[in-house]
Amino acid sequence: TDVDGLMESVDNPNSLIPRVLCDQISTLKNSVIKGGMIPKIDACETALNMGAKCAYIINGTKSLNFQHYLEQADMHPCTIITR
């Protein structure tokens, strides 16, 4: 995607939500998850329901590669969704 992850406020890049539990998704869909983030979150939820241990929402427009995010996710802006 072209954003760092799920934001509490789309207009505030400092409002990144770094981790979300799958159980929180339905609540967040009423407030935080809107517009183009809905299909991204739905895809993450589907992946988790099909057996993935976690799902990442990362900014694909940045030069870091995905492997780097996997190895050092806590050092880079992203949202990790887990069960």
Side-chain angles (χ1 to χ4, degrees):
T1 185
D2 63 350
V3 296
D4 289 335
L6 181 61
M7 308 283 182
E8 284 187 47
S9 172
V10 177
D11 299 325
N12 182 358
N14 294 322
S15 69
L16 178 71
I17 300 172
R19 296 192 180 268
V20 174
L21 295 174
C22 203
D23 294 343
Q24 296 173 303
I25 291 174
S26 61
T27 302
L28 293 174
K29 279 188 177 176
N30 295 327
S31 58
V32 176
I33 302 170
K34 304 174 191 172
M37 193 54 70
I38 294 170
K40 294 169 182 70
I41 295 292
D42 287 347
C44 292
E45 190 172 29
T46 297
L48 291 167
N49 288 336
M50 296 191 75
K53 293 182 181 179
C54 63
Y56 292 73
I57 298 175
I58 66 171
N59 190 331
T61 65
K62 293 188 175 178
S63 61
L64 294 175
N65 66 33
F66 185 67
Q67 185 64 34
H68 195 73
Y69 272 94
L70 292 177
E71 293 169 355
Q72 300 177 357
D74 291 336
M75 296 179 62
H76 304 290
C78 66
T79 298
I80 303 171
I81 301 165
T82 59
R83 288 219 159 271

